């Protein structure tokens, strides 16, 4: 934490002449200390899980009797078959690997340490016996000798379930995992309860595996399209809105036409020469094409009506995009901000998952009802799971909030620097420096507020999923209403937090003061906020739609060549979801820049009047945009007194 010199209260700063980006002071220090203390607790959980969780149990694995594979073990009191020497047995083998307990998140099967995993399917006990004799890897219980596999009456209980699927060791974790996809299909069947026909799910999963190269290529295509769109936004922002509007409309019409054409073509194709399995796949694809075509038609009609209603305001967005495009030209590192945030999130999630895995191996060995060993934590330490889950949400939100504060700080620096030649060499790094020195406490407080809303919503969602089909209609309605209300509250708080971070970057006030100031100015500019955000966000949404439609159309054309043996539904859904997420990550930065620019403009116009000594900081194009917006709303009869009312500055 940096030094906190020149700290002053909001009241004192309001009595002097306001100048943005000056008189920096640390904000919300108690919340920063609380966040640091919470992170120390997360570190304690990590250290405790590593120290008591036996990393060897996680990496090397252990059998159902508490023996760690690949080493010599110590005898556990009253536990049979414990304390065995497994130096030559380095892999964990499950007698029934597909028997999954989803509630307790474990495999309901006896685990043994073996010398090698069966690379080929073993159909009979004779095959299991031959495998043990040739490889020295006994796949039955330790109490049964290989010579007794085919003669003992206990073989059906002590030996693996037949047929034994071909398996391979998981890299670095020494577990024998089945290579046959049908085993994982059973797991998916347990999760996806709405699929009544198991053969449908098998075909869906096989379709994903068959089309994995196409899926990977289409995901890469969506990434390239998002990068190209960001470049277009930077350099041809003046014509972008019209180009984007025309392309989306033409793309929607063309995509709808192609879908209906493919549906008609496939419906007329002869089906006498294909096998029953291929016939079933063809019928699934035909049904999917019909659903896609109808959905695309409805979407195209709605999109056309929206564009018809908003046609008079589309031109106003050009000026806004032009100013935001200038920001990206002066701050090119903004384009790469999603990468750094995603990288930080991935690092934290990997740390969180590894700690969770270590935490799962902590505790003392306890014998369960079946006589096998389980490791359980007793006392207050068993509630570390909840602390760890809260840490996942809070720290993830903290990382996302740091991105918002970084972007806000960089854009604020750009806006309130009159001579753009005097900008810092790297405004993004300068913003990161201010964030670390002054505003980590503000970010911690804002992310904690989101966490307080998100945790109850997740708990209610979990309760709803557990009680699915058991609760009455009234309880189901109340649960869904609470979940919906919490979701709406979370979205509103996210938007308010983002504007509070902008106000903090401008005034260097604490979170509550910044949130109050941002809320007041947003309310007083409600109509202009609605105009700018509605039109601007809608155009960015059209950009996301363009990327998703382009990627989806390419996927349909490529998957059309595999229609005889691949079901389209799941591969296409995966591709479209990934394309939307990628487009959202890139265009959300642009949306954030637009929101920050507007808040800066609202402060600038109401504090400065253009007279000597009180010159505007804003770009002239942005002023023209707002003036045109005001005129357009007056012409439409929506200006009124509320829009013409003089706006108050944030700093009084």
């Amino acid at each position: 934490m940096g030094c906190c010199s020149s700290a002053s209260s909001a009241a004192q700063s309001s009595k002097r002449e306001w100048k943005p980006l000056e008189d920096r002071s640390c904000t919300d220090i108690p919340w920063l200390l609380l966040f640091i203390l919470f992170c120390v607790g997360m570190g304690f959980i990590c250290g405790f899980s590593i120290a008591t969780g036996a990393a060897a149990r996680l990496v090397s694995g252990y059998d159902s009797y508490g023996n760690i594979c690949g080493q010599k073990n110590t005898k556990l009191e009253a536990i049979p078959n414990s304390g065995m020497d497994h130096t030559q047995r380095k892999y964990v083998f499950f007698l029934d690997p597909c028997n999954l307990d989803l509630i307790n998140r474990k495999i309901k099967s006896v685990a043994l340490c073996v010398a090698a995993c069966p690379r080929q399917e073993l159909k009979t006990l004779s095959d299991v016996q031959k495998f043990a004799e040739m490889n020295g890897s006994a796949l039955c219980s330790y109490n049964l000798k290989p010579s007794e596999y085919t003669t003992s009456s206990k073989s059906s209980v002590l030996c693996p379930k037949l047929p034994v699927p071909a398996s391979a060791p998981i890299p670095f974790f020494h577990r024998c995992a089945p290579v046959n996809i049908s085993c994982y299909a059973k797991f998916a069947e347990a999760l996806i309860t709405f699929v009544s026909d198991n053969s449908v799910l098998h075909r869906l999963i096989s379709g994903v595996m068959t089309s994995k190269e196409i899926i990977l290529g289409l995901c890469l295509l969506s990434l390239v399209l998002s990068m190209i769109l960001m470049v277009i936004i930077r350099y041809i922002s003046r014509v972008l809105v019209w180009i984007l509007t025309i392309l989306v409309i033409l793309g929607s019409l063309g995509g709808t036409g192609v879908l209906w054409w493919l549906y008609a073509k496939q419906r007329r194709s002869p089906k006498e020469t294909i096998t029953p399995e291929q016939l079933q796949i063809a019928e699934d694809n035909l049904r999917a094409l019909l659903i896609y075509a109808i959905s695309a038609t409805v979407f195209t009609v709605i999109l056309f009506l929206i564009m018809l209603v908003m046609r008079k305001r589309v031109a106003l967005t050009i000026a806004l995009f032009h100013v935001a495009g200038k920001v990206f030209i002066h701050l090119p590192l903004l384009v790469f901000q999603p990468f750094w945030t995603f990288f930080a999130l991935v690092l934290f999630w990997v740390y969180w998952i590894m700690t969770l895995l270590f935490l799962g191996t902590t505790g003392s060995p306890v014998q369960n009802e079946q006589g096998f060993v389980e490791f359980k934590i007793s006392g207050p330490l068993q509630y570390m799971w909840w602390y760890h889950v809260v840490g996942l949400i809070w720290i993830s939100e903290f990382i996302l909030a740091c991105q918002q504060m970084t972007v806000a700080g960089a854009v604020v620096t750009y806006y309130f620097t009159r001579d753009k030649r005097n900008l810092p060499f790297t405004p993004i790094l300068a913003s990161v420096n201010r964030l670390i020195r002054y505003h980590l406490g503000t970010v911690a407080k804002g992310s904690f507020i989101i966490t307080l809303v998100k945790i109850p919503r997740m708990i209610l969602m979990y309760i709803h999923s557990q009680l699915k089909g058991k609760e009455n209609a009234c309880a189901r309605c109340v649960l869904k209403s609470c979940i919906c209300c919490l979701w709406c509250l979370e979205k509103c708080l996210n938007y308010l937090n983002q504007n509070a971070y902008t106000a903090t970057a401008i005034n260097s006030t604490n979170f509550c003061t910044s949130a109050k100031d941002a809320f007041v100015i947003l309310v007083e500019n409600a109509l202009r906020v609605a105009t700018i955000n509605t039109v601007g966000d809608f155009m960015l949404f059209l950009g996301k739609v363009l990327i998703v439609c382009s990627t989806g159309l390419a996927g349909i054309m490529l998957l059309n060549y595999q229609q005889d043996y691949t079901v389209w539904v799941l591969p296409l859904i995966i591709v479209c979801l990934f394309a939307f997420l990628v487009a959202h990550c890139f265009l959300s930065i642009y949306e954030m820049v637009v929101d920050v620019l507007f808040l800066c403009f609202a402060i600038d116009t109401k504090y400065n009047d253009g007279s000597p000594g009180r010159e505007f900081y804003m770009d002239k194009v942005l002023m023209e945009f707002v003036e045109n917006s005001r005129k357009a709303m007056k012409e439409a009869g929506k200006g009124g007194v509320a829009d013409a009312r003089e706006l108050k500055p944030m700093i009084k």
Side-chain angles (χ1 to χ4, degrees), residues 388-400:
H388 197 56
V389 171
V390 173
L392 170 67
I393 301 173
W394 191 4
I395 297 179
S396 297
E397 291 295 331
F398 178 83
I399 294 173
L400 294 174

Side-chain angles (χ1 to χ4, degrees), residues 91-281:
Y91 303 101
V92 180
F93 175 77
F94 298 96
L95 299 189
D96 189 5
C98 295
N99 188 8
L100 301 170
D101 184 356
L102 299 180
I103 297 177
N104 296 316
R105 303 174 297 278
K106 64 181 181 180
I107 299 177
K108 294 175 63 176
S109 171
V110 177
L112 303 174
C113 293
V114 298
C117 301
R119 297 302 182 103
Q120 296 180 348
E121 186 180 58
L122 306 178
K123 298 181 179 180
T124 64
L125 287 175
S126 298
D127 294 337
V128 177
Q129 187 178 32
K130 291 179 183 178
F131 180 79
E133 293 173 351
M134 294 177 59
N135 298 278
S137 183
L139 302 182
C140 294
S141 179
Y142 304 136
N143 299 328
L144 198 64
K145 298 179 180 179
S147 59
E148 300 174 347
Y149 286 0
T150 57
T151 59
S152 176
S153 59
K154 299 181 180 180
S155 297
S156 59
V157 178
L158 300 180
C159 288
K161 183 180 178 180
L162 297 175
V164 180
S167 60
I170 300 176
F172 307 110
F173 287 98
H174 302 88
R175 270 78 166 177
C176 295
V179 297
N180 190 352
I181 195 172
S182 63
C183 183
Y184 303 105
K186 293 179 181 179
F187 175 71
E189 289 164 11
L191 291 177
I192 307 175
T193 57
F194 61 85
V195 178
S196 57
D197 184 5
N198 292 342
S199 62
V200 173
L201 186 59
H202 281 248
R203 289 198 302 274
L204 289 175
I205 298 178
S206 63
V208 173
M209 297 304 296
T210 305
S211 311
K212 56 182 180 295
E213 292 85 3
I214 294 178
I215 293 175
L216 184 61
L218 291 172
C219 291
L220 183 61
L221 174 64
S222 66
L223 181 63
V224 173
L225 290 176
S226 299
M227 295 289 290
I228 293 175
L229 186 58
M230 290 299 296
V231 173
I232 292 175
I233 289 176
R234 285 181 56 191
Y235 293 106
I236 58 171
S237 56
R238 286 186 175 275
V239 296
L240 172 65
V241 175
W242 294 116
I243 293 176
L244 202 57
T245 303
I246 294 172
L247 285 179
V248 169
I249 293 177
L250 293 179
S252 299
L253 292 173
T256 304
V258 169
L259 286 172
W260 283 112
W261 174 74
L262 289 174
Y263 172 75
K265 178 183 176 182
Q266 190 165 334
R267 189 176 183 180
R268 293 194 303 266
S269 61
K271 300 181 175 59
E272 293 81 7
T273 59
I274 61 177
T275 63
E277 183 179 357
Q278 291 176 333
L279 179 61
Q280 183 62 45
I281 293 177

